[in-house]
Amino acid sequence: MSVGIIVGSQWGDEGKGKIVDILSEKYEIVVRYQGGANAGHTVEIGDKKFILHLIPSGILREDVICVIGNGVVIDPKALLDEIKQLEDLGINIKGRLFISHNAHLIMPYHKLLDSISESGTSKIGTTGRGIGPCYIDKYARSGIRIVDLLDKKVLEEKIRCNIDEKNNLLKKIYNHSELNVDEIIKEYLDFDDQIDEYITDTTHFIHNALDEGRSILLEGAQGTLLDVDHGTYPYVTSSNPTSGGACTGSGIPPTKITSVVGIVKAYTTRVGLGPFPTELLDETGEKLRKIGAEFGATTGRPRRCGWYDAFLVNYSRMINGIERAAITKLDVLSSFEEIKVCVGYEINGKKLKSFPTDLNRLSNVTPIYETLPGWNEDISTAKTYEELPWRAKDYLLFMSQTSGFEIGIVSVGPKRDQTIEL
Ligand code: GDP
Ligand code: IMO
Ligand code: MG
């Protein structure tokens, strides 16, 4: 039995979707465990490109079962759009998708409150998908869950009660017009009709599968430095993308986990606000963005780009228990004469012993770089590790030594077949 966790090792968009698609060939079930439609996981197969927001990236392999776990927050409209888009592309969803009855629902007021708070002074640069406000209600114990859809009376009562409270907030604090409760109730009752067949007690479904010896891959969204506990707070998302979150977000106990694979981009990117020590605000950063096509898969925003930060990924390795990594986008570095890697930080000339997650210190660090020679050669058609130029191998070795993991996969392009397994 194998239960693997896929975790983003940086600030998201490391290429988790592509690697989950590759690995799901060897797994029977893929489970998304946190986040929501703030995620955008891209999988390219031949000339087709799929961007998944809520449905696990395993859906593109027809014999794989997909589960949206209890830790996920579900926007009904985003989910229905995604199901439709996949079906239009000939992907069969029925009988293959299971949605946890304990997952929380994103409501229209969550998206509205997200956008209102982003227009104020304490901006995070969120995706505007209502993620933070939905998790606020979850932890305030007033959230509406998928299970509530199953009893129309309960659903109506809960929506009315929540909207009363939100309308008060909207009117009195934000001077905003009130929401129409009847329209929202109707919208969510319609939603129930459309997803009823997918709703399951996924915790027991997963445990039955484990008892039968089935293999499970847990797909994280976002990345370690966006984790609400371990990331660069407050510039984080509102869930736990780290490996611990995979257990709480699926109901699988830590004792069943057999591997944690970190997805590591060969350089660093970040979307939204917050400190980013190796960010390049010059033409080198521009070049990374252009060659790497670094524009958000969900919002289309340009991603901030910078050199690989081994000090940061080492922290990520520690928090997640990463032993093996999949390195992505190595091909993007192919035309650089020199490549820098951050191996530590200093503040006022004093070297830091450990990665600081507090805003004050992280905003004031100076990265310590080592410079490696580039390989100046197209690697996007390489099929084996041996085929890579020796300088590219040196770069991988340096990443592995400075960040403390073994490398299991090297990705040299967005497509399925541009993948080297070591
Ligand atoms: P995720 O959120 O971690 O799944 O990553 P995204 O899908 O948001 O962003 C990764 C982007 O890089 C997508 O456009 C992928 O198609 C693309 N990609 C993944 N791996 C590689 C790679 O090895 N090389 C290149 N050039 N692109 C890649
Ligand atoms: P995937 O799964 C990159 C960022 C947002 C913002 C912060 C909070 O594709 O890697 P939120 O909407 O979650 O409240 O925004 O988190 N963010 C992501 N950045 N990749 C993602 O997902 C992200 N999901 C959220 O840009 O800075
Ligand atoms: Mg993404």
Side-chain angles (χ1 to χ4, degrees):
M1 186 193 65
S2 149
V3 183
I5 301 177
I6 293 294
V7 67
S9 309
Q10 291 143 316
W11 274 293
D13 301 327
E14 297 89 352
K16 296 175 292 293
K18 167 173 171 166
I19 303 301
V20 168
D21 171 65
I22 297 286
L23 293 180
S24 57
E25 193 181 12
K26 300 179 194 132
Y27 285 86
E28 290 158 280
I29 300 171
V30 181
V31 184
R32 252 293 291 277
Y33 59 82
Q34 46 67 238
N38 49 350
H41 295 181
T42 316
V43 182
E44 284 193 33
I45 306 166
D47 55 6
K48 281 197 182 148
K49 182 170 170 174
F50 304 85
I51 299 178
L52 298 144
H53 301 286
L54 282 163
I55 298 179
S57 306
I59 200 77
L60 304 173
R61 298 198 182 259
E62 60 185 24
D63 47 350
V64 170
I65 297 286
C66 288
V67 175
I68 299 181
N70 56 278
V72 177
V73 287
I74 300 176
D75 175 359
K77 194 177 161 336
L79 179 64
L80 292 176
D81 284 353
E82 197 164 325
I83 291 175
K84 182 166 183 323
Q85 272 171 25
L86 288 168
E87 282 180 340
D88 286 350
L89 288 163
I91 312 286
N92 174 39
I93 309 285
K94 294 199 190 316
R96 297 182 52 213
L97 177 66
F98 296 91
I99 300 173
S100 169
H101 64 323
N102 283 340
H104 279 246
L105 282 165
I106 296 213
M107 305 298 291
Y109 45 80
H110 292 139
K111 287 194 260 188
L112 183 59
L113 290 168
D114 195 355
S115 82
I116 289 176
S117 75
E118 282 294 294
S119 62
T121 46
S122 47
K123 219 169 149 352
I124 302 289
T126 72
T127 59
R129 299 300 188 264
I131 305 296
C134 184
Y135 279 113
I136 289 176
D137 282 358
K138 171 172 175 171
Y139 288 100
R141 294 157 293 177
S142 60
I144 300 178
R145 300 192 295 174
I146 291 281
V147 67
D148 297 323
L149 293 171
L150 303 177
D151 185 329
K152 293 195 183 345
K153 207 165 146 259
V154 170
L155 179 70
E156 198 171 327
E157 261 170 34
K158 285 200 170 176
I159 294 183
R160 277 192 198 285
C161 173
N162 278 11
I163 291 191
D164 262 2
E165 191 204 312
K166 303 297 180 203
N167 272 343
N168 237 333
L169 186 71
L170 287 170
K171 208 168 70 185
K172 294 192 182 142
I173 308 284
Y174 299 117
N175 199 18
H176 193 282
S177 55
E178 293 189 4
L179 293 162
N180 183 323
V181 65
D182 295 316
E183 262 176 28
I184 295 174
I185 290 171
K186 185 180 173 312
E187 191 187 330
Y188 279 71
L189 288 176
D190 283 354
F191 172 56
D192 173 45
D193 289 342
Q194 295 179 71
I195 65 147
D196 208 45
E197 63 185 299
Y198 304 110
I199 302 173
T200 308
D201 174 345
T202 55
T203 309
H204 283 103
F205 175 83
I206 286 171
H207 277 271
N208 288 340
L210 287 171
D211 291 345
E212 288 165 9
R214 291 186 195 274
S215 54
I216 300 182
L217 190 61
L218 293 145
E219 175 177 357
Q222 289 82 52
T224 303
L225 278 300
L226 287 172
D227 186 284
V228 69
D229 285 281
H230 303 291
T232 49
Y233 191 90
Y235 297 103
V236 292
T237 192
S238 302
S239 66
N240 291 115
T242 47
S243 56
C247 294
T248 51
S250 67
I252 300 179
T255 44
K256 299 274 186 201
I257 305 297
T258 53
S259 69
V260 181
V261 175
I263 313 303
V264 179
K265 200 181 273 194
Y267 49 97
T268 315
T269 62
R270 166 162 214 177
V271 203
L273 304 178
F276 179 175
T278 63
E279 182 171 20
L280 292 162
L281 295 163
D282 55 11
E283 64 274 15
T284 311
E286 197 55 54
K287 184 174 168 184
L288 279 172
R289 176 158 44 247
K290 197 161 171 243
I291 302 177
E294 294 295 355
F295 295 89
T298 296
T299 59
R301 291 179 292 176
R303 295 175 182 149
R304 300 158 64 191
C305 298
W307 294 121
Y308 181 66
D309 190 339
F311 198 53
L312 174 149
V313 176
N314 207 331
Y315 166 74
S316 179
R317 176 199 53 75
M318 175 184 87
I319 292 292
N320 292 297
I322 295 168
E323 286 169 345
R324 277 155 70 81
I327 308 296
T328 59
K329 305 195 94 161
L330 188 65
D331 55 299
V332 174
L333 297 176
S334 289
S335 65
F336 287 81
E337 288 294 323
E338 285 187 335
I339 304 168
K340 289 189 179 178
V341 172
C342 168
V343 293
Y345 296 158
E346 52 184 29
I347 297 180
N348 298 330
K350 202 162 176 265
K351 212 171 157 190
L352 301 195
K353 288 201 174 74
S354 55
F355 182 84
T357 49
D358 64 286
L359 206 54
N360 187 25
R361 282 193 306 153
L362 193 60
S363 308
N364 286 305
V365 301
T366 305
I368 303 166
Y369 286 113
E370 292 217 9
T371 304
L372 281 80
W375 45 91
N376 256 303
E377 185 181 325
D378 179 18
I379 57 168
S380 63
T381 53
K383 296 278 175 255
T384 62
Y385 179 74
E386 288 66 40
E387 277 176 66
L388 291 173
W390 65 270
R391 284 193 160 129
K393 286 185 203 153
D394 273 0
Y395 183 72
L396 290 172
L397 188 64
F398 194 72
M399 284 180 80
S400 141
Q401 285 170 344
T402 49
S403 308
F405 47 63
E406 272 181 31
I407 297 175
I409 291 178
V410 178
S411 171
V412 293
K415 297 198 190 304
R416 247 187 202 171
D417 59 5
Q418 292 177 299
T419 312
I420 300 171
E421 295 202 40
L422 275 63

